Amino acid sequence: MLKDFLKQTSNKYIGMKQVYQHIHHQGPLTKPQLMELTKMKQTTITRYLEELAELQLIKFSKYDASTGGRPPAMFEIQPSGGFIIGVDLSRIHTEIVLFDLLFTPIEQCSFPMTKQHTPQVTIGQIVDQIQIIIKKHNISNQQLLGIGLGTVGPIDRENGTIINPRYFHAPGWEEVAIVKALQEHFALRIRIDNGANTAVLGEYKRMKAAKEQTILYCISGRGLRCGVLHQGQIIQNKIGDASAFGEMILHAASPVNMEHNQTLSQFISLETLKEKVNQQLDRGEIDSSEELLQRLNEGDPFVKEVVLESAYYYGIGIANMINIISPDRIILNSPILKVFPAYYEKVVETAKAYIYRLDRHPGNFEMGSEDENAVSLGAAVMVFNSFFE
């Protein structure tokens, strides 16, 4: 079984795990490609491949294009060798996804985060849904590698605690020991990180990116969360808060009125946009972020004007991040993007106008997709990667 194999720590298994990991991230791969990646001898690679195949952890995939002589065989991961649960816990919804070892979604479900979704209610629903999925697919504890959580911060990763996030509809989201609560129901490896961090890890895995690439992933909505990945590793801050980018000050007040500083999040959050629209509407007020998005989707000219103005400030904030980080890829994800593509265009246009040395560090802008399970995918990848640390 894969779980037993991944727990082995002898030198023999360290080498086999290295081969397995390369096939997992970049496969299908040929024997010569694995020799180049691992710097191992052909006899060693051959022995490891035979043992991995005997354990049913890899399989023969196809033959690579021949340059003369017998075409080289290619090897890939056996996707049914194990499973991982990825959870995306946000202020808007919670999503639970079962992935196979190629991180293909096998089953997924979600529920909205309402005023009734206190930590106790939310954790209860997560437990129930995971148990339903496991039973439906007849997955044993030995087959399930673990559960990954991508959630709102700040968090204490070491103790598995959500500390004191803002903007949840329900009360009680302070010092929530969510990992401990889940471990009372599942004797599994459980890992937690900010949703923006797991999202950028998910994108890295999805595109099989080169390790040298730096990726910036931004999720905006009720706030702003950003994840950065460099050299295949998430860049984490000590306080476990991916919302720190949103605290970037875009408008500084005088030294005697510092409380009037305006941050990037204050310019672009759905709550701020709703309040700004309501201040100037001469008709019924907008009651929720969902109604704001609906008005935007229907083409309300005033709502569009307010949102496009915020896109300008978002672009400036993104440019500041790019000037410091110099990412190769910049991925933007927001419910606004789904209903108003002009918002994305304005953000990118503004960012490019403020990027220092755009000619040297242009970066590739991309729009994230809600259908890609980036947060839950990255949470599952986090669990998988933990076996190789």
Side-chain angles (χ1 to χ4, degrees):
M1 286 290 190
L2 178 61
K3 189 182 288 189
D4 291 334
F5 165 72
L6 292 177
K7 289 179 179 178
Q8 301 300 319
T9 57
S10 68
N11 288 335
K12 167 189 170 181
Y13 281 99
I14 288 173
M16 286 177 64
K17 286 164 71 174
Q18 186 179 353
V19 171
Y20 181 86
Q21 194 173 19
H22 279 295
I23 296 173
H24 192 281
H25 183 62
Q26 296 167 274
L29 292 173
T30 65
K31 194 180 300 182
Q33 287 172 327
L34 285 165
M35 291 168 57
E36 175 64 25
L37 288 167
T38 63
K39 308 305 178 186
M40 297 178 186
K41 296 179 181 179
Q42 180 175 350
T43 53
T44 303
I45 291 292
T46 299
R47 184 172 70 255
Y48 285 165
L49 288 173
E50 288 175 351
E51 293 191 41
L52 288 168
E54 188 174 328
L55 291 169
Q56 298 183 340
L57 301 181
I58 64 170
K59 62 180 181 178
F60 167 73
S61 171
K62 57 184 177 181
Y63 287 104
D64 197 11
S66 176
T67 56
R70 184 178 178 180
M74 302 190 76
F75 300 89
E76 67 179 5
I77 296 302
Q78 177 61 261
S80 60
F83 302 90
I84 307 175
I85 296 284
V87 179
D88 173 7
L89 197 167
S90 75
R91 301 176 181 95
I92 299 173
H93 77 283
T94 291
E95 176 185 72
I96 301 103
V97 186
L98 173 69
F99 294 95
D100 66 16
L101 290 183
L102 289 180
F103 296 110
T104 302
I106 304 300
E107 177 93 7
Q108 64 187 70
C109 61
S110 65
F111 54 86
M113 297 292 285
T114 68
K115 293 179 180 179
Q116 285 71 47
H117 279 83
T118 61
Q120 183 178 5
V121 171
T122 302
I123 293 170
Q125 284 195 241
I126 292 173
V127 170
D128 290 344
Q129 291 300 327
I130 291 176
Q131 289 176 337
I132 289 170
I133 289 173
I134 291 173
K135 184 176 181 180
K136 178 179 178 180
H137 294 274
N138 195 28
I139 296 172
S140 68
N141 192 66
Q142 191 64 20
Q143 290 175 297
L144 195 58
L145 296 188
I147 300 170
L149 293 164
T151 184
V152 178
I155 60 173
D156 179 343
R157 298 183 189 90
E158 184 176 347
N159 294 307
T161 302
I162 301 174
I163 301 174
N164 58 345
R166 294 182 290 177
Y167 307 128
F168 271 105
H169 292 298
W173 286 93
E174 296 89 23
E175 300 298 330
V176 180
I178 189 168
V179 170
K180 182 180 178 181
L182 291 174
Q183 285 173 336
E184 292 176 359
H185 300 272
F186 306 104
L188 297 167
R189 180 171 300 209
I190 302 176
R191 294 292 184 269
I192 186 172
D193 206 331
N194 287 288
N197 287 341
T198 65
V200 72
L201 186 59
E203 286 296 332
Y204 172 74
K205 174 60 70 173
R206 190 190 309 283
M207 68 181 185
K208 298 183 180 180
K211 197 172 182 180
E212 296 75 21
Q213 280 201 337
T214 299
I215 306 171
L216 170 65
Y217 195 108
C218 298
I219 305 173
S220 60
R222 293 181 65 85
L224 175 66
R225 295 180 289 159
C226 298
V228 180
L229 184 140
H230 179 66
Q231 296 288 327
Q233 299 293 321
I234 297 170
I235 298 176
Q236 298 173 326
N237 62 25
K238 291 183 179 180
I239 62 173
D241 191 358
S243 300
F245 284 92
E247 298 307 306
M248 179 192 308
I249 296 173
L250 292 191
H251 183 270
S254 67
V256 296
N257 291 304
M258 292 179 63
E259 67 273 14
H260 296 299
N261 289 336
Q262 288 184 281
T263 66
L264 176 56
S265 285
Q266 289 174 320
F267 277 104
I268 70 171
S269 75
L270 289 172
E271 191 66 24
T272 298
L273 297 179
K274 178 173 71 72
E275 290 176 1
K276 190 165 185 178
V277 169
N278 284 341
Q279 287 170 4
Q280 302 180 50
L281 277 178
D282 56 2
R283 56 185 186 276
E285 286 191 349
I286 292 176
D287 294 324
S288 64
S289 299
E290 290 75 18
E291 187 178 346
L292 176 77
L293 293 171
Q294 182 180 344
R295 294 271 191 100
L296 192 59
N297 190 37
E298 293 169 351
D300 186 307
F302 180 68
V303 176
K304 288 167 62 176
E305 180 184 343
V306 170
V307 170
L308 282 177
E309 182 182 358
S310 78
Y312 170 79
Y313 292 103
Y314 194 9
I316 293 175
I318 293 292
N320 287 335
M321 299 179 209
I322 293 171
N323 290 336
I324 297 169
I325 301 169
S326 297
D328 300 287
R329 299 178 66 211
I330 306 99
I331 304 171
L332 307 180
N333 203 335
S334 167
I336 294 177
L337 301 178
K338 316 306 175 195
V339 299
F340 191 38
Y343 179 79
Y344 171 81
E345 296 164 6
K346 182 66 175 180
V347 172
V348 173
E349 174 191 339
T350 306
K352 288 184 175 180
Y354 286 93
I355 294 173
Y356 176 70
R357 295 305 302 269
L358 180 63
D359 57 326
R360 295 185 61 183
H361 300 288
N364 292 318
F365 286 87
E366 301 174 32
M367 188 187 301
S369 170
E370 282 190 349
D371 298 330
E372 290 182 343
N373 311 116
V375 174
S376 52
L377 168 61
V381 173
M382 176 175 60
V383 171
F384 180 83
N385 288 351
S386 70
F387 285 94
F388 298 90
E389 295 172 351

